Amino acid sequence: MSYLIDDNREGIQHLLMGNEAIVRGALEAGINVAAGYPGTPSSEIIEAFSKIARDRNIYAEWSTNEKVAMEVAAAASFAGLRSLCVMKQNGVNVASDFLLHLASSGTRGGMLLVTCDDPGALSSVNEGESRLFAKLVEIPLLEPGDFQEAKDLTKWAFDLSEKIRNLVMIRSVTRMSHASGNVKFGSLPDTNAHAEYRFDGPLLDMETGPMISMIVAAPELQHGPQQEKLKKAAQLFEDCPFNTYNGPESPELLIITSSACTLYVREAVNLLNIEDRVGILKLATTWPLPPNLIKRNLMRSKAVFVVEEVLPTLEENIKILAAETALETGIKTFYGKHSGHIPSAGELNPDIVISALTKILHIDYRPVEPSFEQKTAKMAATMAPTREMTFCPGCPHRASFWSIHNAIALDGRNGFVCGDIGCYVMGTLPGGYSTVKTLHSMGSGSGLASGFGKLKQFGIEQPVLAVCGDSTFFHAAMPALTNAIHHKSPFTLILLDNSGTAMTGFQPHPGSPFDVMGNTAEALDIEAICRAMGGRVEIADPFNLTETREMLNYLMEYKDGAKVLILRQACALSPERRGKKKFDVSVDESICIGENCGCDRLCTRIFGCPGITWDTEKKVSRIDTIICAGCGVCADICPAGAIQKKEVA
Amino acid sequence: MQRFGSRELVENVIRQNLCIGCGACNNLCPYFKSYNGKTTMLFPCTLPEGRCFAYCPKTEVDLDELSAALFHKPYGDDPLGYYRSIMMSRAGARAGHGLFQAGGTVSALMQFALEKRHIDGAILTDRKGIEPTPILATESKDILKCASSKYTAAPTLAALNRAIKEGFGNLGIVSTPCQTLAVAQMRLNPLQENTFRDPTGLVIGIFCTWALDFQAFKVFLSQRIDLAEIRKIDIPPPPAEVMEVFTDCATIEYPLSEIRQLVPEACSYCIDMTAEFSDISVGVMEGRTDMNTLITRTDRGQRIVDEAVSAGYLVLTDLPDENLEHLKWAADNKKKRAFAKAEEKAIVNTPAGTGPSYLRINHATLKKIRGE
Ligand SMILES: Cc1cc2nc3c(=O)[nH]c(=O)nc-3n(C[C@H](O)[C@H](O)[C@H](O)COP(=O)(O)OP(=O)(O)OC[C@H]3O[C@@H](n4cnc5c(N)ncnc54)[C@H](O)[C@@H]3O)c2cc1C
Ligand code: SF4
Ligand code: SF4
Ligand code: SF4
Ligand code: SF4
């Protein structure tokens, strides 16, 4: 992450990631408070704020979860400050309860909800959309189409939020957040803001009254005015400088697009060399749509092609306006998701847009010879080894799942693990010994397990376990554990405590002794919390395979109520373990049983640490000392004692 | 014997409820493990042939091959198997004393064999609470600690495999008939390994009509009594038809008819009551709680019995004829019932190429067992 973000030389250009551009935009808007919960592809935003927080008098935090992050940012807005909260698409689901209330109470200081969606689910369990929330809770939605715009639109959004006195949603996507482009900087304002929460004025007075989402059903008092705000936004959008049209006055085909798809469309049109046949309407204000602007542009062409990722959100909203203005704009042929020209699942790319355009415009275009494509596919199959998704070398989760798998198998009652979100989603795959049998949202493993545990009266005899990471525990698993303890649901919660929010890059969480700005923080003790909640708590080191497995078997047989096993071992990539080997590990070839009866390659065939490789010629295993993290766990699984570990002095 | 691998072991034994949890497939490799009396395969193994399958006493047991190896003749029709002598016995004055099940013959013979270095260790069955736990004993006091019967099936041979891995090469083993079968198969070096050496120095079989399923027994007892209070469990010899459970303050009796419900299906296919492939087999004596029935089968067994007697570790007397008759009758009954059941399930002498057969046996003997 660069420190260029707070460069105060107006007009200078820097190469910034989309996420950094958003941060710069917020700085230029004079932001005071930023809160979020880590989640790819959004995490760099809070991290960037934390680096310049002191200099720019900003308060930044990693909140316990997305809902709390939104509440923290809203408090700043209520006190007259500018703020934003940031999260990935799934986080908006978590925050959505508060979001609906906040959208109806409105905001004071400019406030943004920045969501980074992940079309194609590159780093997510699903590609759920956040755009629809803007429509659902009736707030404006902005989507930057390039990196400069990511900065400028963010700054513009703060003004918009203050003009309409409501939250504004800015949506980025992975290819916008994580790609980089040149951004020309504006100036930075002074950083002395004063916070005061005013509440003495009349109820529903946006400036001076208490900020409440109405307690009684009085839609005319609050819901009506909220909708007026949205209408005002639509009006402002009519002249928004970030909605642009490029192309002939009356093109054969009007392409309407937004966000990262703008880049794909530009590239496709350029490659096909059809600048004179198509026009591109790029929208930054995708909800509510400015009706006149849309109408004007619809009149340009009889054929309209909407390019967007995942659901046909923009497409459907455009179609509504087209239907309403059909008398003036005429009958259109629409291309997009409903016509099947663009898929509704997965990421887009220039190739997909090209192939759609060639069909719509009957263009003969072959980017590569079909035979070439076949040849490369064939070569890739023979030359690139197939790689399974697995945990890193030395990862504590591998050891944990090894023990969990074995404990369940030995127990013999067909027990299962309810999983949840984190690196340990790999527990569903062979790399985690296919141990995890349910996988949904954060904390839901514990909730499901609490439910399964109560099915004994219907004859379920299977032992129930759940896994959850330390960050997830605070985020969403605590209510589920509370439920289980209260209702005496007999399940075992395995807390995979690797001391950090590992999957997204070691952000601190409530169990950490410092916060994102580097200040000391109150570290909450998971063990003490679980004990205080009334659970039976045990602790083990997952690298001690026997102890962990025995403890699990014991807890599975111990029937009373909810039990917690904290498996404590730092992540292999954590600052404390990274690059520091505990053991020098090697294989004694003369002892290795290899493929013979007695082993059948347990280490490379089943255990699967990438640090161990199979020598196909000598038929023995060996340690790749560059990859091996020196955890020494494989030495304990080898049936022959062929894998040997020596403590590094 | 036909050779197969772990896949068939799981399919034909474990999934068919034929596994008795003897432990013969444990500790050979990382895949088979016993827990709570049940043997489980943790991960799949891809080998088409393996020791796990070859050692298992519940599949591909070739009675003629075993008989030929140990007694140099095909499997015969004597319900007690081949033997040299049958006597009555008890521990002699030189043997240390323990809470023997009956006459202490087993413990006395093992002590003798260990102290005189006929063996370098003894594979026995101790207990932790009510759970039978296999151990390797290298001192007489450990042998005495293991005295008395644990009535649940035990993975005793898991300790044998571990001891072999640790380098023991001349082991004494006290095993039930199914375990004794497994040991006999191990001794054949079924996979023809170059490095193989017979790891046994003395195999003492103990009589058995059935053992209990550990899990089922644990549930049975825990529903009736606090497991932590149990001091001892005993089944006194016939005609008493009860199991006695001793706690600090009371003795509780459960009728055997109730206890027999906890016998696993695997035992009903077991054709062997007296551990026919041992060196020496030992059982209780009807009506005499202080004596054992002693069957000596092999030269090695005979030598050790003789030496133990002259060294004062063992005392022998003649066995009354009516006891022998009754023993044969009981053993014959068990064998007939088990063969009938196995034949009903079509797992005796199944043709080669159709997968594993539970038992292989010559037709002449099979006909006699059937009573034809
Ligand atoms: C499950 C079971 C069923 C039996 N059924 C009969 C029967 O029907 N008729 C009969 O005459 N005798 C039966 N016996 C044998 C009998 O109970 C005595 O073990 C035998 O008579 C030897 O007596 P002892 O005094 O010499 O034994 P001890 O000197 O007390 O030694 C007992 C030995 O048995 C071993 N042992 C104890 N429990 C087990 C077990 N579960 N698996 C393997 N080894 C074990 C110990 O390692 C110990 O070395 C049975 C034994 C068991 C374990
Ligand atoms: S687990 Fe041990 S014996 Fe087996 S292949 Fe690996 S190094 Fe060799
Ligand atoms: S010690 Fe073994 S398990 Fe640990 S990282 Fe190295 S190869 Fe992997
Ligand atoms: S074949 Fe050998 S390695 Fe495979 S499960 Fe059986 S004993 Fe283990
Ligand atoms: S009977 Fe013994 S050898 Fe056979 S599967 Fe069961 S434990 Fe393994």
Side-chain angles (χ1 to χ4, degrees), chain A residues 405 553 557 595 599-600 605 639, chain B residues 31 35-36 42 44 46 218:
Chain A
H405 169 275
N553 278 124
E557 281 199 44
E595 291 170 319
C599 185
D600 193 20
R605 191 175 59 88
Chain B
Y31 301 112
Y35 176 76
N36 239 340
L42 294 180
T46 61
K218 191 169 152 190

Side-chain angles (χ1 to χ4, degrees), chain A residues 402 405-407 409-413 433 549 553-554 557 595-602 605-606 637 639-640, chain B residues 28-36 38 40-47 49-52 165 191 193 215 218:
Chain A
W402 182 262
H405 169 275
N406 288 354
L410 290 177
D411 176 86
R413 289 174 292 164
Y433 319 113
R549 207 270 301 143
N553 278 124
Y554 172 74
E557 281 199 44
E595 291 170 319
N596 296 319
C597 179
C599 185
D600 193 20
R601 296 212 288 119
L602 180 76
R605 191 175 59 88
I606 307 279
I637 63 129
Chain B
L28 295 168
C29 70
Y31 301 112
F32 286 101
K33 282 242 163 4
S34 168
Y35 176 76
N36 239 340
K38 290 270 176 279
T40 307
M41 187 166 202
L42 294 180
F43 292 104
C45 163
T46 61
L47 301 180
E49 292 177 1
R51 290 171 296 163
C52 51
K165 258 192 180 173
L191 290 200
E193 295 163 284
Q215 245 174 47
K218 191 169 152 190

Side-chain angles (χ1 to χ4, degrees), chain B residues 1 5 27-28 37 47 59 86 101 103 106 146 149 218 225 227 231 235 285 301 320 332 334 372:
Chain B
M1 180 204 294
N27 291 342
L28 295 168
L47 301 180
T59 186
I86 302 194
Q101 183 60 35
V106 169
C146 291
S149 299
K218 191 169 152 190
I225 188 171
L227 297 183
R231 295 289 157 261
I235 299 180
M285 271 298 299
D332 195 38
K334 178 173 176 180
E372 286 171 11

Side-chain angles (χ1 to χ4, degrees), chain B residues 280-301:
Chain B
I280 299 164
S281 292
V282 183
V284 295
M285 271 298 299
E286 224 166 299
R288 291 278 309 258
T289 52
D290 61 333
M291 294 299 279
N292 289 110
T293 310
L294 174 81
I295 305 181
T296 311
R297 301 187 188 276
T298 62
D299 294 347
R300 175 163 95 174

Side-chain angles (χ1 to χ4, degrees), chain B residues 100-102 104-107 125 146 148-150 152 207 209 283-284 292:
Chain B
F100 300 135
Q101 183 60 35
T105 302
V106 169
S107 299
T125 308
C146 291
S148 89
S149 299
K150 292 87 198 169
T152 52
F207 296 3
T209 17
V284 295
N292 289 110

Side-chain angles (χ1 to χ4, degrees), chain B residues 9-10 13-14 18-26 28 32-34 37-40 51-59 154-155 157 178-179 182 185 266:
Chain B
L9 188 61
V10 170
V13 179
I14 296 182
L18 287 182
C19 170
I20 189 62
C22 71
C25 60
N26 292 194
L28 295 168
F32 286 101
K33 282 242 163 4
S34 168
K38 290 270 176 279
T39 290
T40 307
R51 290 171 296 163
C52 51
F53 181 92
Y55 296 171
C56 176
K58 297 295 178 185
T59 186
L157 302 181
C178 51
Q179 294 168 341
Q185 298 194 105

